[in-house]
Amino acid sequence: MKDLENREDLTLLMDNFYQKLLQNKEISYLFTEVAQIDLEHHLPVIVDFWNLSLFGKGNYKNNVLKLHLDLNEKSKLSPQHFKIWLDTFYLTVDENFSGENSEKIKTKALSIANVMQIKLHKSA
């Protein structure tokens, strides 16, 4: 398997990742009912985030933490939600890519999930 190398790889990864999340009844409602995400619009924004985070490229400007704090106000994000998100993220990376950047994005995802949980807990 090839490693994550560019924005196109991230697009493939995020598309597969969100398709899996949307099929999981324990978490999909957060996207479909609470956040009411339009995946066609949301996916390029998420790819922008990871492109900047992993490759230092692009111009992602949203405040990821604020977006999730707002979501948490509407519907509490539980440790189980974060576990599902992270397990699904790891699975999707491992099914599609292998290499240094693939490991790096999984480490970044773990860090982001941990920081978000700490910040959400503090804001409660």
Side-chain angles (χ1 to χ4, degrees):
M1 268 190 285
K2 72 181 224 105
D3 198 2
L4 286 162
E5 296 172 357
N6 52 43
R7 183 180 174 83
E8 290 74 28
D9 291 342
L10 291 172
T11 299
L12 172 71
L13 176 65
M14 291 301 125
D15 187 43
N16 288 337
F17 173 58
Y18 276 89
Q19 292 306 321
K20 285 184 188 327
L21 287 179
L22 292 175
Q23 292 173 19
N24 184 322
K25 289 181 177 147
E26 288 184 76
I27 197 169
S28 63
Y29 74 94
L30 289 170
F31 300 99
T32 59
E33 296 169 28
V34 180
Q36 299 180 347
I37 286 176
D38 172 1
L39 197 55
E40 192 174 322
H41 170 76
H42 187 63
L43 200 60
V45 175
I46 293 295
V47 171
D48 285 345
F49 170 81
W50 286 108
N51 197 39
L52 184 62
S53 182
L54 188 62
F55 300 124
K57 296 179 180 175
N59 60 350
Y60 181 84
K61 300 214 186 312
N62 293 346
N63 182 332
V64 174
L65 181 59
K66 170 98 171 75
L67 293 170
H68 289 83
L69 286 170
D70 292 348
L71 181 62
N72 190 58
E73 287 294 315
K74 296 178 184 176
S75 181
K76 293 293 179 206
L77 301 176
S78 71
Q80 180 64 14
H81 290 132
F82 282 95
K83 181 178 181 344
I84 292 167
W85 184 89
L86 202 54
D87 288 349
T88 306
F89 194 92
Y90 285 178
L91 175 67
T92 310
V93 171
D94 291 344
E95 284 178 345
N96 293 279
F97 298 97
S98 178
E100 185 178 333
N101 287 331
S102 300
E103 293 307 312
K104 190 174 174 184
I105 200 169
K106 290 190 294 185
T107 301
K108 285 183 176 290
L110 175 61
S111 176
I112 289 165
N114 286 337
V115 168
M116 270 195 199
Q117 287 182 86
I118 290 165
K119 298 285 188 180
L120 290 173
H121 181 71
K122 284 183 179 180
S123 74

